[in-house]
Amino acid sequence: MDLGLLGGFDYLGQNYPELDFEIVKAVDNDPYCTQIYNNNFKHHCEIMDVRNMEIPKLPNFDILIGGFPCQSFSISAQNPPRLGYKDERGMLFFEMVKILQEKKPRYLIAENVKGLLSANRGKAFPMIIKEFERAGYHIKFKLFNASEFGVPQKRERVIIVGFREYSDYAHFSFPKPTTIFNKVPLRDVLNESDNSNERLFFSEKAVAGMMAVRDKMNKGRAQSLDEPCNTISSHLAKVSLNSTDPVLFINGRYRRFSSNECARIQSFPESFLWDSVSEAKQLKAIGNAVPPVLMWHIANALALTANRPIQSEIKRIESTSYEFPDGNWVQLSLFEPETLYISKQNNEYVLIGTCRKGIIGWIKQTSKYCYPISEEDILCHPELLNISRLVVRHKNSVIGYFEVSTVDVVVKPELNAYGYPTRTSRHKADTKYLLFSLEDTKLNVDSVDFNLFTPIIAKGVKK
C-alpha cells in the first residue's frame, strides 16, 4: 500500500508517477516483512505490536492506512447489537478506531478481503462502518477487482476510504477501471526460464493424488495464460494441487509460480528487492500484499481530492414535485415496471431511472441510486458508466434531478452495507448493480426535454 501511495515506479511498460505523499511512520509486527520493507523505502518500518503504540506520541499525519483481520469479529448480544471480537486479532480494528479518535487525520484508507462484506452473515460490515462513523468520519467503500486496473490477477478486495471533512467526502470519486475490456493476461508476467526449473514442478505422486479426485473435487486449478490469474494467497510456499491454489500446466506438467512471477502477478516493479529473506518469507509477504498498481489508482484519486480547498458546507439533495405529462409512460407489465431511459444532451449522458416507494427515503438519505445490471448490459451500453445527470422517478412523479459524481458497479452485499432496504431475494447475491453517487443540481427539471429520451434495458415500460 505504501508503494502505491508514493508512486514513482514502472510496471509492464507503464509509469505510475510519484504522488505528493510521504510516510511519516510505519509499523508491522512481522520482522521478515519489515526487513523487506526497509530494503525498499527510505523511511524505515518499526517492528511493533500496534496495541502497544503510544497514540498521543504519534507524529501528526493526514492519512491513516492499514488492514485488519476479517474473520475475528463477533456480534455482541446487546440492544442494539454491538461489534465485538472473537479473538485478540479483532482488537486490531479497534486500534485503528482509537488512532482516528485521538489524532483525527483528514483521511482513512483501510483494505480487506471480499469476505468482510459477508462476515457474521453480513452483520459485521455495517457495524465496522458505524464504528468509523462514530470516530467522526464519512465513509465510502468499494469492492475492487485488481484485474480491472492493469493487474494480471482477479484479486477482489474491499477498500474503505474515510473523510473527516464532508466536502472531501462529497468530492471524492473512486477511480474508474482502466482495463475492464483489455485485461492483462497471465502470460505477460511469466518467466520462460522458470519452465526449466525442476524445483517448481510437482512430483508424480502429487499429480497422481490430485488426478484421483479431480473430477469430484475440482482440484488442480491450472490457470489460463490468456486471462488474469486467480487470487494468489499468503501460503504460496505451500501451494498444493489438492486445493484451490492457482497453478500452471506447462508442457503437460504442473508447476507452481516462482517468487519473481508472484511479485509480477501482484504488480510489483522489477526494481523491488526481495532477496533479503528466504523464498518462503518472500512468498508470504507477496501473497499478503495489496497490488501497488491498484493502490496507486486509489491514492491518485485521493490526491485529486486532497488538492481541493476544504469547503465548510455542501448542499444536500432536494426533491422536486415535477409531474410527467399525462400519457407519457405506458406500463406493459404489472410486476416489472422497471426500465432505464437515456439521452445525450450537450455531449452529456442523462438518465431516467425508476425506483419503488420503499427506497425513496434511502435515496435521499444516502445520496445514492442503484439499478440491477448484467455484464452484457454494461458491454452493450458502456455509456451507462459515464452518466452526468440522473432523473429518478416513482411512477409518474419525479423524486429528484441530480448531478452524478460517480458511477460504480457493485454487488448486493455492498448495497446491503449501505443500508439498502432489500425487499425480497428476487436478485441473487452475485447480482451486479449500477450505483450512482448523487449531488443536488442547480438546474431545473423543467429544462429537461423528455422527448429526447429513448428506452434502454427495458423491463416492462415503454414511452
Side-chain angles (χ1 to χ4, degrees):
M1 294 181 80
D2 286 3
L3 178 59
L5 187 82
L6 297 176
F9 62 91
D10 295 315
Y11 176 70
L12 293 182
Q14 172 100 20
N15 178 253
Y16 295 88
E18 186 174 336
L19 299 175
D20 193 21
F21 298 113
E22 64 174 319
I23 310 298
V24 296
K25 189 176 183 66
V27 300
D28 196 288
N29 72 338
D30 187 316
Y32 301 102
C33 289
T34 302
Q35 188 170 341
I36 295 171
Y37 188 103
N38 290 341
N39 277 351
N40 286 280
F41 294 94
K42 293 179 181 178
H43 56 279
H44 275 197
C45 180
E46 300 176 39
I47 303 173
M48 180 185 295
D49 186 328
V50 295
R51 294 170 297 181
N52 299 328
M53 186 182 297
E54 296 183 77
I55 298 175
K57 293 183 179 180
L58 289 176
N60 292 328
F61 58 94
D62 297 300
I63 312 174
L64 175 65
I65 303 173
F68 50 89
C70 163
Q71 303 295 345
S72 301
F73 296 107
S74 66
I75 306 302
S76 301
Q78 301 180 20
N79 190 18
R82 294 295 298 272
L83 187 69
Y85 45 88
K86 290 185 289 189
D87 56 54
E88 63 178 12
R89 292 175 300 168
M91 296 173 64
L92 300 179
F93 165 74
F94 292 98
E95 294 302 318
M96 293 187 72
V97 174
K98 289 178 186 177
I99 294 171
L100 293 174
Q101 292 171 329
E102 178 79 22
K103 301 298 293 186
K104 299 186 180 354
R106 187 172 173 182
Y107 305 110
L108 155 75
I109 303 177
E111 177 267 354
N112 220 296
V113 296
K114 178 182 178 180
L116 184 67
L117 295 173
S118 55
N120 295 94
R121 298 182 178 178
K123 295 180 180 179
F125 189 73
M127 293 188 179
I128 288 169
I129 299 302
K130 283 187 173 65
E131 291 293 338
F132 283 140
E133 290 174 340
R134 287 192 186 100
Y137 288 80
H138 308 280
I139 301 297
K140 290 186 178 183
F141 64 89
K142 181 174 174 57
L143 179 64
F144 281 88
N145 188 320
S147 69
E148 297 177 353
F149 290 85
V151 179
Q153 183 185 184
K154 304 170 189 176
R155 193 180 190 90
E156 291 186 292
R157 290 296 183 268
V158 178
I159 300 293
I160 302 168
V161 183
F163 308 85
R164 187 188 64 205
E165 308 293 339
Y166 182 79
S167 62
D168 284 336
Y169 168 85
H171 288 123
F172 175 79
S173 299
F174 278 115
K176 292 184 183 297
T178 59
T179 55
I180 192 169
F181 301 122
N182 56 329
K183 296 180 179 179
V184 179
L186 176 58
R187 69 168 67 252
D188 284 6
V189 294
L190 297 182
N191 291 330
E192 184 68 29
S193 60
D194 284 328
N195 291 333
S196 58
N197 185 348
E198 286 297 320
R199 191 169 52 84
L200 298 176
F201 285 88
F202 291 97
S203 67
E204 292 183 5
K205 181 178 180 181
V207 174
M210 178 271 294
M211 295 298 288
V213 297
R214 182 179 184 183
D215 292 337
K216 60 181 179 180
M217 299 293 289
N218 190 24
K219 305 303 182 183
R221 296 194 176 183
Q223 302 298 290
S224 167
L225 303 186
D226 297 319
E227 299 177 3
C229 183
N230 286 354
T231 302
I232 59 176
S233 67
S234 60
H235 67 279
L236 287 165
K238 300 178 181 179
V239 166
S240 168
L241 285 175
N242 286 318
S243 71
T244 58
D245 299 321
V247 295
L248 291 171
F249 188 64
I250 304 293
N251 298 326
R253 300 176 65 195
Y254 289 91
R255 77 165 174 88
R256 64 178 178 86
F257 298 103
S258 67
S259 58
N260 181 266
E261 289 173 327
C262 290
R264 289 179 179 176
I265 290 171
Q266 282 281 55
S267 76
F268 279 94
E270 296 296 317
S271 58
F272 204 84
L273 305 176
W274 299 98
D275 56 5
S276 61
V277 300
S278 68
E279 184 185 42
K281 301 300 182 184
Q282 292 176 37
L283 290 169
K284 179 182 178 182
I286 293 169
N288 274 328
V290 175
V293 166
L294 174 60
M295 182 61 188
W296 183 90
H297 284 286
I298 295 163
N300 186 51
L302 188 62
L304 295 175
T305 300
N307 289 330
R308 297 177 63 103
I310 295 178
Q311 299 178 15
S312 59
E313 186 175 346
I314 297 291
K315 190 175 181 182
R316 300 284 189 144
I317 289 176
E318 296 177 2
S319 63
T320 174
S321 59
Y322 178 88
E323 296 284 335
F324 282 99
D326 290 340
N328 198 34
W329 304 93
V330 179
Q331 181 172 318
L332 299 180
S333 167
L334 179 63
F335 300 106
E336 289 289 345
E338 298 177 357
T339 192
L340 295 178
Y341 286 75
I342 197 167
S343 173
K344 192 171 185 180
Q345 303 176 15
N346 298 323
N347 292 319
E348 293 184 315
Y349 287 107
V350 184
L351 195 71
I352 301 175
T354 60
C355 76
R356 56 185 171 86
K357 185 176 181 180
I359 68 166
I360 293 175
W362 178 81
I363 292 171
K364 294 179 179 179
Q365 181 181 3
T366 63
S367 302
K368 297 188 183 301
Y369 170 77
C370 68
Y371 190 88
I373 204 85
S374 70
E375 291 188 8
E376 181 180 359
D377 291 333
I378 299 172
L379 288 171
C380 294
H381 303 287
E383 64 271 20
L384 287 170
L385 299 176
N386 293 292
I387 300 300
S388 300
R389 298 193 184 107
L390 174 68
V391 178
V392 181
R393 69 179 181 87
H394 169 59
K395 295 184 178 179
N396 280 354
S397 297
V398 171
I399 303 306
Y401 181 33
F402 311 115
E403 297 280 1
V404 176
S405 59
T406 62
V407 185
D408 293 314
V409 179
V410 303
V411 290
K412 195 171 184 179
E414 292 179 88
L415 281 186
N416 293 339
Y418 277 117
Y420 180 75
T422 304
R423 180 177 56 182
T424 65
S425 58
R426 60 187 289 194
H427 297 300
K428 298 178 181 179
D430 60 352
T431 298
K432 290 181 171 58
Y433 295 79
L434 288 172
L435 181 65
F436 299 86
S437 295
L438 311 174
E439 296 180 10
D440 187 44
T441 175
K442 296 179 181 178
L443 299 176
N444 194 312
V445 74
D446 292 322
S447 66
V448 178
D449 186 354
F450 291 105
N451 292 316
L452 298 177
F453 286 80
T454 55
I456 182 173
I457 315 178
K459 295 185 179 178
V461 179
K462 75 173 184 179
K463 196 171 179 180

